Amino acid sequence: MSSLHPLDDYHSEGKRKARKLVRKALTRPVITSILDTTVWGEENVEGLDGAYIVVGNHTSHLDAPMVFSLLPDHMTERLATGAAADYFYRKKGISKLTSLFFNTYPIERKGKYSGPETGRAVGMTGRLLRDGIPILIFPEGTRSRDGKMGRFKPGAAALAIANEIPIVPLAMTGGYEAMPVGRFLPTLNHPPVDLFIGKPMHAKDGEDAEEFIDRVQTHIVMMLDQRSANPDPSVTPTIKGVTGAPDASGDVSGLDEAGVDDAGLDDAGTPDDAGTPDD
C-alpha cells in the first residue's frame, strides 16, 4: 500500500490565503449575486477554534458552496470536506481545483476506487480531526431528492465522541427550491436562502453515536421549524416532510431499516458517503 495521503496542505498558510482570496473575489460574490442570502447565529461560533464537525442538512449542490462562502472566515479558512477519490482525485487538475474551492480531502468509496493510490486516504477524516482540522459532513449521505430531510447516519457523531470534539449544527433553507436535484444551474429569480448556525453541541456522558446524532438532527429540525439559530427547545416542531428523522422528543420509533443499521462508517472508522459529494 502507498504511503498515507499527507496532511501538510491542510496546514499551509499559502493555501489558506489562496482559498480566502478565492472566497472573497469569486465564490462569495457569485453566491450572493445569484441568491438572496442571510446568515444567522454567527455569535454562536465566535472564538470557536481547533477541531470540530459541522453537520448540516443536504438538499442541493448549492449547499457546499453556500457553507464555504457564507460561514465566518475563521471557520472557512481551515474547514475541510471529503470528496470522492474515484471522481475528484483521478486527475490532478480536478483535485487541485476542488481543493482550492472546498479544501477537500479524498474519500475512497468502497468498490469504486482502485489504482496505485489506493489506500492512501485510509482514515483521512480521523487523521485531520486529530490534527486540529475542522470537517464538514452531510450525514444524510446524499442530497434529498424531494426536499425532505432523511435520517442522519451516526458516523459524524461517532467521530465527535471518539475525538472529544463538538458538532456545530447547521440548518439551511432555500437550497432545494433554488437548485433541486436535476437542475444544473440555480433558478434565475434570486431565490432566498438562509443559513442558521447553532451553538456547538457535545455528546453527553454515556451517550452513544446514534443518540447523539439524533439529538443533533432534532436540534436542526427545530432550527428549521422556528427559523432560528437558537430555537426554543420547549416548542414542538410543526415542520413537515422529514423522512425518518427523530421528533423533538428524540423518538425514532417507526423508522424503516434503511439508515437505522447503517453506521455510516468504513473500516477505518471514518464516514464513507456522509460528507462525500454525490451524483
Side-chain angles (χ1 to χ4, degrees):
M1 183 178 70
S2 303
S3 60
L4 293 176
H5 190 85
L7 304 184
D8 296 352
D9 284 354
Y10 304 96
H11 296 283
S12 168
E13 185 67 14
K15 292 184 181 296
R16 183 190 66 79
K17 289 181 178 179
R19 291 194 301 271
K20 184 175 182 178
L21 179 61
V22 168
R23 285 196 307 275
K24 183 177 180 181
L26 182 59
T27 55
R28 188 170 293 163
V30 168
I31 287 292
T32 55
S33 68
I34 63 176
L35 304 171
D36 181 11
T37 63
T38 307
V39 180
W40 311 83
E42 292 187 49
E43 70 280 0
N44 287 333
V45 289
E46 287 182 3
L48 184 64
D49 195 15
Y52 50 86
I53 302 174
V54 177
V55 163
N57 57 306
H58 192 23
T59 62
S60 170
H61 271 320
L62 289 173
D63 292 340
M66 286 193 300
V67 170
F68 280 90
S69 299
L70 301 177
L71 282 181
D73 284 341
H74 76 274
M75 296 180 70
T76 54
E77 66 182 9
R78 296 189 309 114
L79 187 67
T81 192
D86 54 283
Y87 185 84
F88 291 98
Y89 278 81
R90 283 198 175 276
K91 294 184 178 180
K92 186 172 291 186
I94 294 176
S95 66
K96 286 185 176 294
L97 193 61
T98 56
S99 179
L100 179 62
F101 280 89
F102 304 116
N103 198 25
T104 56
Y105 62 92
I107 294 287
E108 294 179 8
R109 298 191 286 187
K110 293 178 181 177
K112 293 190 176 184
Y113 185 74
S114 63
E117 300 294 306
T118 301
R120 296 194 72 203
V122 169
M124 274 293 292
T125 306
R127 291 174 61 214
L128 287 167
L129 290 171
R130 289 190 294 273
D131 232 34
I133 303 298
I135 299 296
L136 167 67
I137 292 177
F138 295 119
E140 291 164 87
T142 186
R143 286 171 297 150
S144 170
R145 266 47 184 176
D146 57 8
K148 299 177 182 178
M149 188 190 303
R151 172 76 185 275
F152 283 9
K153 298 180 180 182
L159 285 164
I161 291 171
N163 292 280
E164 299 182 338
I165 57 175
I167 285 178
V168 177
L170 199 64
M172 293 179 282
T173 66
Y176 180 79
E177 291 75 16
M179 190 176 170
V181 172
R183 284 192 65 95
F184 294 98
L185 292 171
T187 57
L188 301 178
N189 58 345
H190 204 60
V193 296
D194 292 88
L195 190 151
F196 301 92
I197 310 169
K199 294 180 180 179
M201 300 175 66
H202 292 264
K204 298 177 180 179
D205 290 342
E207 193 170 40
D208 66 24
E210 291 210 14
E211 292 168 337
F212 187 20
I213 203 65
D214 284 346
R215 187 161 57 87
V216 170
Q217 183 164 17
T218 296
H219 193 76
I220 290 175
V221 169
M222 290 192 295
M223 293 165 73
L224 292 169
D225 187 66
Q226 299 179 34
R227 297 187 59 80
S228 171
N230 300 289
D232 182 349
S234 67
V235 177
T236 301
T238 59
I239 193 169
K240 303 297 181 183
V242 180
T243 304
D247 63 23
S249 67
D251 181 18
V252 294
S253 61
L255 293 174
D256 58 34
E257 292 182 359
V260 175
D261 298 326
D262 186 351
L265 299 176
D266 63 19
D267 292 337
T270 56
D272 48 11
D273 56 0
T276 304
D278 47 77
D279 299 327

